[in-house]
């Protein structure tokens, strides 16, 4: 039973082929610069060398055809024929209120994903392109959609409504949806497994911090609050995104600088966050390099990032009236010992105590970085969103 997982962006397409008998990855890869000249396909069959191919790939249909060519290639392939792919699982960013869980793709599902383009104009059209390109290249193969928002559909009204006229929710579904749900779902479960405790009994805060970042309060296994909102702009300070700010700043700045809606969106999504404050980079590695060299702008960017992250952890401990487990994941969460240390040092009022040596350990497995005395278990859990997509796909088509 083989499942192809596809994460389709507007100009990129990532894939992983799973053998679900043992959940092993047979091959993975990435097509970049779709729609531009010299697109790049990078294909890595497990246990064999990576291959890179530069060609013209104008749309997703060709991208998937090239991926299938590579998967079935005599030298670099891992399949005899495309017919060995039993199902395709797609990552979809926005499932709105339509999707509380993953779903098999049918006409209605596609219609609903299209209806949400308004809420996710950059992401959902790419998902539709990936789905339709798969239908063309793998006719008859069942497809499943897995949503970044679905895990957060359990949030209560008090957490997901904004304190603005209710009519905006009724008419336009303006509310908090939250994102990175697949990752928060995966790491909260992996954390409970690691601790050997039932998730139902735990209050967990999951910190998914990569280029984008969000925090989730997971109580009894379900998401009760999360820091991203109607869009992935709200919440933490991120690589290039502002995170929370006074909403009155937006009309004020638009007025002063005569900015259009798309210009102000661009400013807040692409030219803010670590990038804006450091003036150097959106990449935490460069920020911590700057910090270590004493660069004042990097130092401030780091301090703001850590301060805001820590304030959110405190607010989610308040939301759940306590916290048993704090989980760090994604690019920064899994790799940056200095960010974890700075955050945890200032959580002593919650009884958090981390072991500096354990915090420095590098490993691809879930691990504990807190001391035996710590009142909160602090874990680093590598996320695996693709595996969740593969598992959901496998389960749904075998129902
Ligand atoms: P995305 O949100 O795009 O999925 P990732 O979760 O892969 O991104 O996170 C990417 C970010 O992780 C990079 O921008 C970088 O800031 C950070 N990162 C990766 N490795 C390290 C490291 N060793 N130390 C600090 N930060 C790191």
């Amino acid at each position: 039973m083989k499942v192809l997982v596809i994460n389709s962006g507007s100009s990129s397409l990532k894939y992983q082929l799973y053998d679900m008998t043992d959940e092993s990855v047979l091959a993975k890869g990435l097509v970049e610069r779709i729609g531009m000249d010299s697109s790049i396909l990078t294909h890595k069959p497990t246990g064999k060398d990576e291959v890179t191919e530069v060609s013209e790939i104008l749309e997703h249909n060709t991208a998937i055809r090239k991926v299938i060519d590579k998967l079935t290639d005599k030298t670099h392939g891992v399949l005899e024929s495309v017919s060995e792919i039993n199902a395709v699982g797609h990552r979809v960013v926005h499932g709105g209120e339509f999707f509380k869980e993953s779903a098999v793709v049918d006409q209605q599902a596609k219609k609903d994903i299209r209806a949400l383009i308004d809420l996710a104009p950059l992401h959902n059209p790419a998902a539709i392109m990936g789905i339709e390109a798969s239908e063309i290249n793998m006719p008859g193969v069942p497809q499943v959609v897995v949503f970044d928002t679905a895990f957060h559909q359990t949030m209560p009204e008090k957490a997901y409504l904004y304190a603005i006229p209710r009519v905006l929710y009724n008419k336009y579904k303006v509310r908090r949806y939250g994102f990175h749900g697949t990752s928060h779902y995966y790491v909260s479960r992996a954390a409970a497994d690691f601790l050997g405790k039932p998730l139902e009994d735990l209050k967990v805060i999951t910190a998914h911090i990569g280029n984008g970042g969000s925090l989730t309060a997971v109580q009894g296994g379900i998401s009760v609050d999360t820091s991203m909102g109607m869009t992935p702009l709200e919440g933490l300070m991120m690589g290039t995104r502002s995170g929370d700010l006074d909403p009155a700043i937006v009309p004020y700045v638009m007025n002063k600088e005569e900015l259009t809606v798309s210009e102000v969106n661009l400013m807040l999504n692409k030219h803010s966050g670590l990038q804006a404050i450091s003036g150097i980079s959106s990449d935490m590695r460069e920020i911590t390099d700057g910090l270590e060299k004493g660069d004042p702008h990097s130092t401030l960017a780091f301090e703001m990032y850590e301060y805001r992250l820590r304030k959110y952890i405190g607010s989610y401990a308040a939301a759940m009236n306590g916290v048993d487990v704090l989980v760090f994941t994604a690019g920064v969460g899994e790799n940056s010992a200095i960010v974890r240390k700075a955050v945890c040092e200032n959580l002593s009022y919650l009884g958090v105590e981390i072991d500096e040596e354990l915090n420095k350990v590098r490993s691809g497995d879930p691990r504990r970085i807190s001391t035996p005395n710590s009142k909160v278990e602090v874990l680093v859990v590598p996320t695996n969103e693709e595996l969740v997509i593969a598992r959901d796909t496998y389960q749904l088509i075998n129902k």
Side-chain angles (χ1 to χ4, degrees):
M1 171 80 202
K2 296 192 175 76
V3 172
L4 180 63
V5 172
I6 290 177
N7 182 351
S8 174
S10 54
S11 65
S12 70
L13 188 142
K14 290 185 200 153
Y15 62 94
Q16 285 201 24
L17 182 69
Y18 279 87
D19 181 345
M20 294 311 288
T21 49
D22 58 359
E23 295 188 336
S24 59
V25 176
L26 300 174
K28 60 177 157 184
L30 165 69
V31 187
E32 294 165 279
R33 300 175 53 85
I34 298 172
M36 303 174 216
D37 48 53
S38 51
S39 312
I40 307 161
L41 192 164
T42 311
H43 174 74
K44 174 77 179 81
T46 304
K48 294 189 209 167
D49 289 342
E50 183 174 287
V51 278
T52 303
E53 185 182 287
V54 178
S55 62
E56 194 173 82
I57 301 180
L58 290 179
E59 28 63 60
H60 289 66
N61 189 10
T62 314
I64 297 225
R65 185 164 48 76
K66 295 254 184 194
V67 168
I68 292 172
D69 287 349
K70 277 284 167 288
L71 289 171
T72 54
D73 185 88
K74 287 250 171 326
T75 323
H76 310 294
V78 291
L79 300 174
E80 293 286 323
S81 128
V82 62
S83 64
E84 286 174 57
I85 298 175
N86 302 97
V88 183
H90 296 269
R91 176 199 180 202
V92 184
V93 167
H94 220 306
E97 290 185 336
F98 292 123
F99 298 97
K100 299 193 188 322
E101 50 198 32
S102 304
V104 175
V105 175
D106 56 13
Q107 288 308 324
Q108 187 61 43
K110 284 200 279 182
K111 195 169 155 223
D112 293 342
I113 295 168
R114 276 208 182 86
L116 292 163
I117 287 177
D118 208 23
L119 286 174
L122 299 177
H123 294 107
N124 277 27
I128 287 286
M129 288 192 280
I131 292 166
E132 295 193 328
S134 303
E135 285 172 342
I136 293 168
N137 286 286
M138 290 167 276
V141 176
Q143 302 197 57
V144 166
V145 274
V146 180
F147 299 89
D148 275 27
T149 49
F151 179 55
H152 302 300
Q153 280 293 301
T154 48
M155 280 188 290
E157 246 184 345
K158 67 180 175 192
Y160 74 68
L161 279 187
Y162 292 110
I164 54 175
R166 178 97 193 191
V167 65
L168 296 172
Y169 171 67
N170 296 341
K171 276 172 87 173
Y172 307 116
K173 294 286 172 217
V174 173
R175 54 159 286 180
R176 176 184 310 287
Y177 292 96
F179 298 88
H180 297 137
T182 315
S183 177
H184 291 293
Y185 167 89
Y186 176 82
V187 299
S188 55
R189 269 137 195 88
D193 286 349
F194 176 85
L195 295 169
K197 292 183 178 163
L199 189 56
E200 296 68 45
D201 299 344
L202 294 176
K203 293 171 180 170
V204 186
I205 296 175
T206 49
H208 175 111
I209 42 176
N211 282 317
S214 67
L215 225 73
T216 298
V218 183
Q219 188 164 5
I222 65 168
S223 168
V224 295
D225 206 348
T226 193
S227 62
M228 282 180 168
M230 185 175 92
T231 76
L233 183 56
E234 194 182 346
L236 302 172
M237 177 172 167
M238 306 174 219
T240 62
R241 287 176 234 164
S242 64
D244 294 339
L245 79 170
D246 178 349
I249 292 170
V250 176
Y252 181 84
V253 171
M254 286 177 81
N255 186 31
K256 289 283 181 197
E257 294 280 313
E258 295 181 12
L259 298 182
T260 63
V261 171
S262 57
E263 283 166 343
V264 78
N265 262 323
L266 188 71
M267 177 188 89
L268 296 171
N269 280 290
K270 299 278 182 204
H271 302 300
S272 295
L274 289 174
Q275 174 75 53
I277 301 298
S278 71
I280 292 177
S281 173
S282 62
D283 190 314
M284 186 50 84
R285 283 165 288 204
E286 293 192 45
I287 302 300
T288 47
D289 280 354
L291 172 77
E292 276 155 10
K293 289 183 190 128
D295 170 58
H297 302 295
S298 303
T299 305
L300 178 61
F302 181 87
E303 286 175 356
M304 284 175 67
Y305 184 95
E306 178 277 321
Y307 179 61
R308 285 163 162 245
L309 180 53
R310 175 157 50 92
K311 286 205 295 181
Y312 255 106
I313 294 171
S315 77
Y316 284 175
M320 296 190 287
N321 189 18
V323 51
D324 302 308
V325 190
L326 171 63
V327 183
F328 288 97
T329 193
V332 177
E334 289 169 33
N335 297 300
S336 183
I338 183 167
V339 168
R340 294 192 301 257
K341 177 169 182 259
V343 169
C344 291
E345 266 178 359
N346 288 299
L347 293 174
S348 55
Y349 75 101
L350 287 173
V352 169
E353 197 180 283
I354 61 161
D355 179 316
E356 288 220 22
E357 291 313 309
L358 291 179
N359 185 39
K360 286 182 198 151
V361 172
R362 290 190 159 271
S363 148
D365 295 321
R367 59 195 187 278
R368 182 189 272 112
I369 61 168
S370 48
T371 66
N373 286 334
S374 182
K375 291 204 179 73
V376 179
E377 298 273 12
V378 185
L379 308 181
V380 178
V381 179
T383 194
N384 197 340
E385 291 157 284
E386 292 76 14
L387 180 59
V388 177
I389 298 172
R391 283 179 180 165
D392 275 15
T393 303
Y394 180 72
Q395 274 164 17
L396 273 172
I397 69 153
N398 283 304
K399 248 186 184 173

